[in-house]
Amino acid sequence: MSDFAIGPLSRTAPTPAHARIVRAVAAKEWTEMRRDRRLLALFVFTALLMLAALGFGAAENARLARERAAAAEADRALWMGQSAKNPHAAAHFGQYAFKPLSPLSLADPGVDPYVGSAVWLEAHKQNEAQFRPARDGGAAARLGGLSLAYILQTVAPLIVLLAGFAGFSGEREAGTLKQLLSLGARPRDLLAGKALALIGASAALLAPAVIGAALAVALLTDATKFSLADQFLRLGALVIGYAVYLSGFAFLALGVSALATSSRAALVALLAFWLVNSFLAPRLASDIARGLAPTPTAQEFRAGVAKDKARTFGHDETHPAFVAFRDETLKKYGVTNVKDLPVSFRGLSLRKDDENGYVIFDEHFGALQAAYDRQDALRGSAGFLFPLLALQPFSMAFAGSDSRAQFDFATAAEAHRRDIQNEVSDNIIHFQRDADYVAGPELWKRIAAFSYRAPTAGFALSGSGEAMAGLVGWLGLTVAFALFAIRRLKPL
Amino acid sequence: MSAFLAGLRFEARILLRERAVWLALVALVAAILFALFSGAARVEAQKALVAAARGEEAQRLEGLRKTLAKLEKGETADDPPPYRDPRNAAYMGGGPAARVAALALSPLALAAVGQSDLFPPVVKVTTGSKDGFLYADEIENPANLMSGSADLAFVVVFVYPLVILALAFNLLAGEREQGTLSMTLASARRPGAALAGKFAARILAPIGVTLLATAVGVGAFAGASVLASGAFAALTSIILIYGLFWAALASAVDGLGKSSAFNALTLICAFVLVTMLAPAGINSLAGYAHPAPSRLDMVLAARAASTDADKERDAALARYVDEHPGEKRDRAREGTLRRLATQEAAFQRVESVIAAHDAQLARQRALADRLGFLSPALLTYRALAGVAGASETRYRGFLDSIAVFHVEWRDFFLSRAKAAAPMTQADYDSLPRFAERGETAAADIAAPLMGVAISTLLLSFLAMRGLRRVRP
């Protein structure tokens, strides 16, 4: 028997300890939820679904990680196995950089299916990442993949709403609300108790997901590429983010239930909100962000790069910039003919052209990422109203599968490309004496394979300010709404 | 019939007085019109993309012709390097003269994004292996791709059923709970017909409004002539049958004789299963059973082929130099032959890797298609993408057409390059042109539509049984 039943409450009785009421209400709600077979069945079904999603995610991650590791090894073998050739020809052959898969992307694959996983590092050009896996996915993939994040973001809030929509309206319809209030229970105690029970239910929903994800991360993380402690830090942040998200739904359900004229009206209103949050808001926000902060088309982007690249000379020895650079170099070395230079002019000109290109690529790729960031900020700006808009970027950031993580990889890949170009040009500068010059395996070996260490949780945190503000705002707003809504609850 | 009409009229009058019903219908109309409006803007952007690519191609080819004319007239002091020489067939077909292959937009392209945001509508075909051009992506924020667009397909698949369910979920349960069911049944000579009339009023409103708003939106944003097309008839059939599926489901659940709360919860769970979990589960299962092969294999195969060809070429050249000492080497020709050899080797290997990938993906798609019949939402989404000419099948057809054109394009340039024949103005006049082959829209639409229709018929049968069980 609960404390609530033992201690009768009335206006004439001494003021009861509010904490005791809160505990009693929470215990009663919790018991009712446990006794509701349909709700219990939904909980169990969702938990199994989450575990299945984790299983699929883990299998897919392991497969992709194997593929990428094998590809990196094979590409290194190809690089090392090149025949003797001019170093610049080797630079044109280039290398591939493969993005290592973040361990937590098994829970939230984020934008990974929509970005390429490999970048070709070739001479003169910074390439975009190639091969979006989504291109090989079918129509079903466009309606959502079965990931843990997808279930927690869309199905879990629905269950919280279904568990909470009758929180106050059900009591009102059963006639027990007036009884409770007339016995001296304050509305805010009732709210706190019911919210506690719903948040407890949300925690119960999160528990199998968290335990499953923790086990998967512990067992499957490649410690040579990722720090396990960092992965658990990220997982901790994810748990907090999802808990805030679901807690907001608990307060929303209770607030609407307190205001609604009937449980049915509360359910309809909450389902409408769930629909908007889960489906409409992300799509509309993307369409609006795309309209307000457009990105260039591939052709416009490449034309922009090509236009700026036309200012530098490439292999065009008649280009005014080439002639100017040659004259400047001759002057610097105090000679009148490139043949009299103590170093290879071809190497110098390649290095100069590369350096000019670096500035151009930084400018264009930086502007593109800035446009993505603007779109992402616009999309997330309504996160306090439609929390999926805040949770998605937060979740992807801490799972290491957002576009910032992709940009970090692309930046590291480009840095490696520049190392290759610089090494190759230096070799030509110092060793090429005629057009027949070739380099061999020593040079290929000296140029290291691409090695990438993914950024830490601090990086995810630094880019998640807006998303965190959105989630906190969402929880604050729903708590305020619920407190406002319960002001209408009167004993008479 | 009179009982049916009386029930319909009576229920319609009740519905017209409910503000929430008006609100839901107005929201549905607004969503449809917004989706079609933004769809029209998307189509315009795609057209601009194709036009820009064609413009760039024309400008590029014109530049080559001008340079060629100057070279032919001897107006240039030095020969350009081979990769800029319009006479050099080995290099020109590989990029400078590359041909744009564009996907023709369907008249109803505004209805669904489908796969159109993942596949660029234009591909620049070169003489190189496909890994060099076929997988170039259009620039798009990946977060936008992930969330998708609020297109008509989205409104029809996700929003439209909820409005139908909101109106139809508790006809019997509601009357029973209000205590009016017995009165309704007793007041008609044919109670079943009266109930059917009332149910028809509840489902005709959202279905009729959706069809009307779609017709108005398509007429306004795609042109009135599209309304008379077979594609539009297919679009309306899809909307109608999908609407009837949800109506039949609502009626079947209502016919179980449980409470409004039971109906609401059951139908919401059904909605989540059909629209969200089934497609996601099907996608994951098909992917797990037949994992999509890595495209990285293709790149590595192409690179391995080119290094092997390089080595073979080096060995052959070394032998030739040994056997012909003192002979003057034509380095430009050697470069061209090396390029042709590596291209050919990469082409062969990439073709075989792509064929293996396509076979694996075909198995994955076949499984997803079979399992797709478990989710009328997925079938409807596929059918709508088919109507919009943005389905997987359509894009596969586009890629197949490109494959055929690629062979033609390679033959054109490589035959001249191997024969060391310089490209002429006449050659530039007769460059092969891309043509899309085959139409797959009918197959894209008919099978999924049939799947939804069969589910609808089964549920209608259950609903009828439920209605028959109702007694005053």
Side-chain angles (χ1 to χ4, degrees):
Chain A
M1 195 178 278
S2 71
D3 292 348
F4 184 57
I6 295 166
L9 305 168
S10 75
R11 283 185 181 285
T12 52
T15 309
H18 296 302
R20 218 153 48 91
I21 298 176
V22 171
R23 273 205 311 274
V25 172
K28 174 245 176 196
E29 291 290 327
W30 182 251
T31 308
E32 275 186 3
M33 275 192 276
R34 276 175 40 214
R35 285 181 185 160
D36 187 335
R37 283 189 182 179
R38 281 181 300 177
L39 209 54
L40 211 57
L42 275 179
F43 263 80
V44 172
F45 175 72
T46 309
L48 290 176
L49 205 61
M50 288 192 293
L51 293 177
L54 264 176
F56 279 127
E60 180 70 356
N61 254 28
R63 184 179 71 83
L64 292 174
R66 272 197 309 275
E67 268 178 14
R68 290 183 196 181
E73 204 176 309
D75 193 62
R76 182 66 186 166
L78 285 171
W79 172 261
M80 296 295 291
Q82 289 180 96
S83 53
K85 60 175 72 159
N86 187 277
H88 189 62
H92 271 284
F93 179 70
Q95 292 184 0
Y96 264 84
F98 302 99
K99 186 187 174 196
L101 211 58
S102 167
L104 274 166
S105 64
L106 65 88
D108 186 352
V111 300
D112 278 356
Y114 300 96
V115 291
S117 56
V119 183
W120 185 23
L121 314 174
E122 62 168 330
H124 307 301
K125 274 174 79 180
Q126 177 173 354
N127 291 307
E128 298 131 51
Q130 289 174 287
F131 312 122
R132 292 173 179 159
R135 262 180 77 150
D136 288 331
R142 306 312 303 275
L143 293 183
L146 192 67
S147 70
L148 180 61
Y150 179 66
I151 296 165
L152 284 173
Q153 288 168 7
T154 55
V155 182
L158 178 66
I159 291 179
V160 175
L161 295 180
L162 290 176
F165 77 94
F168 286 105
S169 56
E171 300 255 19
R172 192 185 295 120
E173 283 156 358
T176 50
L177 185 62
K178 282 183 181 173
Q179 280 178 6
L180 280 171
L181 294 169
S182 60
L183 287 172
R186 296 185 312 179
R188 66 171 54 188
D189 296 338
L190 296 181
L191 174 67
K194 286 172 186 288
L196 209 58
L198 275 180
I199 291 169
S202 308
L205 205 57
L206 271 176
V210 176
I211 294 167
L215 277 175
V217 166
L219 294 173
L220 301 174
T221 298
D222 179 352
T224 60
K225 290 191 178 123
F226 298 93
S227 146
L228 203 57
D230 185 65
Q231 293 307 309
F232 277 102
L233 263 180
R234 287 170 175 270
L235 185 60
L238 286 173
V239 173
I240 294 170
Y242 278 94
V244 169
Y245 177 70
L246 293 178
S247 300
F249 277 96
F251 282 104
L252 179 76
L254 293 171
V256 170
S257 182
L259 276 183
T261 50
S262 66
S263 294
R264 187 185 154 192
L267 181 63
V268 169
L270 289 168
L271 288 179
F273 179 81
W274 171 78
L275 175 79
V276 172
N277 178 64
S278 302
F279 301 107
L280 201 56
R283 286 173 165 82
L284 270 182
S286 288
D287 286 348
I288 291 168
R290 207 185 269 128
L292 292 179
T295 47
T297 63
Q299 195 180 331
E300 285 165 354
F301 180 77
R302 285 166 199 149
V305 172
K307 189 180 165 199
D308 284 352
K309 283 276 282 174
R311 289 206 308 264
T312 182
F313 42 82
H315 290 304
D316 183 1
E317 297 187 1
T318 60
H319 195 289
F322 181 89
V323 176
F325 176 68
R326 187 184 58 203
D327 294 347
E328 188 187 311
T329 308
L330 293 177
K331 193 174 164 192
K332 184 179 163 191
Y333 282 91
V335 292
T336 53
N337 195 312
V338 290
K339 285 178 185 161
D340 300 329
L341 285 168
V343 290
S344 160
F345 179 69
R346 182 162 181 264
L348 289 175
S349 63
L350 283 171
R351 190 169 65 186
K352 177 68 179 169
D353 185 57
D354 279 336
E355 283 165 359
N356 290 340
Y358 300 157
V359 177
I360 292 165
F361 292 128
D362 283 346
E363 188 185 319
H364 284 271
F365 279 88
L368 185 63
Q369 184 60 31
Y372 287 171
D373 290 345
R374 273 198 304 281
Q375 286 191 342
D376 292 347
L378 277 168
R379 187 185 300 102
S381 57
F384 65 98
L385 277 180
F386 302 109
L388 189 57
L389 300 178
L391 181 70
Q392 267 184 343
F394 178 85
S395 176
M396 291 190 293
F398 281 94
S401 56
D402 64 342
S403 60
R404 276 183 82 235
Q406 179 71 14
F407 186 63
D408 187 76
F409 157 72
T411 307
E414 173 61 8
H416 185 62
R417 185 185 80 85
R418 293 177 187 185
D419 286 346
I420 298 173
Q421 302 315 308
N422 294 342
E423 186 87 35
V424 160
S425 297
D426 279 353
N427 184 281
I428 295 173
I429 288 168
H430 293 110
F431 300 108
Q432 179 162 336
R433 292 291 169 266
D434 57 42
D436 289 334
Y437 173 67
V438 291
E442 304 82 41
L443 179 61
W444 315 150
K445 193 176 171 185
R446 197 163 62 243
I447 294 174
F450 174 64
S451 159
Y452 174 65
R453 190 87 183 168
T456 62
F459 174 82
L461 187 71
S462 68
S464 300
E466 191 194 9
M468 287 191 293
L471 283 172
V472 171
W474 155 247
L475 183 60
L477 203 64
T478 51
V479 170
F481 168 68
L483 286 171
F484 166 78
I486 56 166
R487 286 171 57 198
R488 286 186 66 234
L489 303 178
K490 298 274 188 280
L492 295 170
Chain B
M1 193 63 192
S2 59
F4 177 86
L5 287 176
L8 190 142
R9 272 201 300 269
F10 182 71
E11 195 65 18
R13 277 206 293 273
I14 293 174
L15 287 176
L16 285 174
R17 286 194 196 121
E18 281 196 36
R19 222 163 30 156
V21 171
W22 279 104
L23 198 69
L25 294 178
V26 167
L28 183 60
V29 169
I32 290 167
L33 292 178
F34 174 78
L36 288 170
F37 169 73
S38 50
R42 180 171 39 77
V43 170
E44 283 309 310
Q46 280 187 330
K47 281 182 184 165
L49 207 68
V50 174
R54 290 202 191 288
E56 186 271 339
E57 177 192 82
Q59 202 178 3
R60 195 161 27 84
L61 289 175
E62 187 54 32
L64 290 175
R65 281 165 166 279
K66 277 185 185 162
T67 311
L68 181 61
K70 281 184 187 169
L71 286 166
E72 283 174 347
K73 287 178 194 161
E75 288 174 9
T76 51
D78 296 316
D79 274 0
Y83 47 87
R84 289 216 185 95
D85 189 339
R87 297 165 302 189
N88 191 319
Y91 282 93
M92 290 304 105
R99 178 65 94 189
V100 164
L103 182 81
L105 287 173
S106 299
L108 275 173
L110 78 172
V113 172
Q115 303 295 92
S116 68
D117 55 349
L118 289 174
F119 290 84
V122 283
V123 172
K124 226 165 156 181
V125 180
T126 72
T127 50
S129 50
K130 281 183 191 145
D131 59 299
F133 63 84
L134 204 55
Y135 299 91
D137 290 315
E138 187 45 62
I139 284 182
E140 177 61 290
N141 185 344
N144 291 345
L145 292 173
M146 187 185 81
S147 53
S149 284
D151 56 0
L152 182 70
F154 159 73
V155 177
V156 168
V157 170
F158 288 99
V159 184
Y160 170 57
L162 280 177
V163 179
I164 293 173
L165 293 183
L167 288 177
F169 82 102
N170 69 341
L171 176 71
L172 296 177
E175 296 248 11
R176 198 181 299 113
E177 284 156 13
Q178 287 166 20
T180 52
L181 183 61
S182 300
M183 216 158 59
T184 304
L185 295 173
S187 63
R189 238 183 324 162
R190 291 171 56 224
L195 279 179
K198 283 168 83 72
F199 185 72
R202 290 200 178 202
I203 62 164
L204 276 180
I207 294 176
V209 154
T210 302
L211 289 173
L212 193 66
T214 304
V216 170
V218 168
F221 302 123
S225 60
V226 180
L227 297 177
S229 66
F232 184 73
L235 176 65
T236 50
S237 307
I238 296 163
I239 293 173
L240 178 67
I241 293 176
Y242 188 59
L244 290 175
F245 164 80
W246 286 102
L249 181 67
S251 180
V253 171
D254 197 24
L256 294 175
K258 307 276 185 176
S259 66
S260 294
F262 172 87
N263 291 1
L265 192 63
T266 308
L267 289 170
I268 280 300
C269 289
F271 175 81
V272 170
L273 269 176
V274 170
T275 62
M276 294 167 59
L277 299 182
I282 288 165
N283 179 39
S284 295
L285 267 177
Y288 183 73
H290 303 289
S294 166
R295 293 287 175 195
L296 306 175
D297 293 352
M298 181 185 63
V299 171
L300 293 172
R303 285 163 70 73
S306 63
T307 51
D308 289 354
D310 244 359
K311 285 176 186 167
E312 279 170 27
R313 183 97 208 132
D314 284 345
L317 203 60
R319 277 198 305 277
Y320 182 84
V321 172
D322 275 353
E323 288 162 15
H324 304 82
E327 188 170 317
K328 196 181 172 194
R329 289 168 65 182
D330 181 349
R331 289 187 185 278
R333 182 68 189 149
E334 277 175 19
T336 300
L337 291 174
R338 177 183 291 271
R339 180 180 171 79
L340 290 175
T342 53
Q343 266 192 4
E344 185 59 31
F347 172 77
Q348 296 297 348
R349 295 240 197 135
V350 166
E351 289 299 304
S352 68
V353 172
I354 288 182
H357 283 191
D358 286 351
Q360 174 76 346
L361 283 176
R363 282 189 284 274
Q364 189 189 89
R365 285 189 188 112
L367 179 62
D369 286 352
R370 278 199 301 277
L371 294 172
F373 284 92
L374 296 172
S375 169
L378 177 55
L379 293 177
T380 302
Y381 183 81
R382 276 173 46 198
L384 288 169
V387 164
S391 66
E392 289 168 76
T393 327
R394 175 81 195 282
Y395 278 95
R396 281 207 304 280
F398 180 47
L399 297 181
D400 289 345
S401 304
I402 289 176
V404 172
F405 177 67
H406 185 213
V407 171
E408 193 185 347
W409 187 253
R410 282 172 53 81
D411 286 347
F412 183 87
F413 284 95
L414 300 188
S415 59
R416 285 162 175 76
K418 282 172 189 165
M423 294 278 290
T424 62
Q425 293 286 358
D427 288 331
Y428 279 96
D429 286 337
S430 57
L431 289 178
R433 289 193 171 276
F434 172 76
E436 204 181 333
R437 300 145 66 93
E439 277 293 322
T440 52
D444 266 351
I445 300 160
L449 205 56
M450 193 66 82
V452 185
I454 290 169
S455 310
T456 307
L457 281 176
L458 286 173
L459 287 169
S460 303
F461 174 70
L462 289 176
M464 295 285 276
R465 280 186 58 184
L467 273 179
R468 278 201 204 103
R469 279 203 299 266
V470 181
R471 294 279 178 272

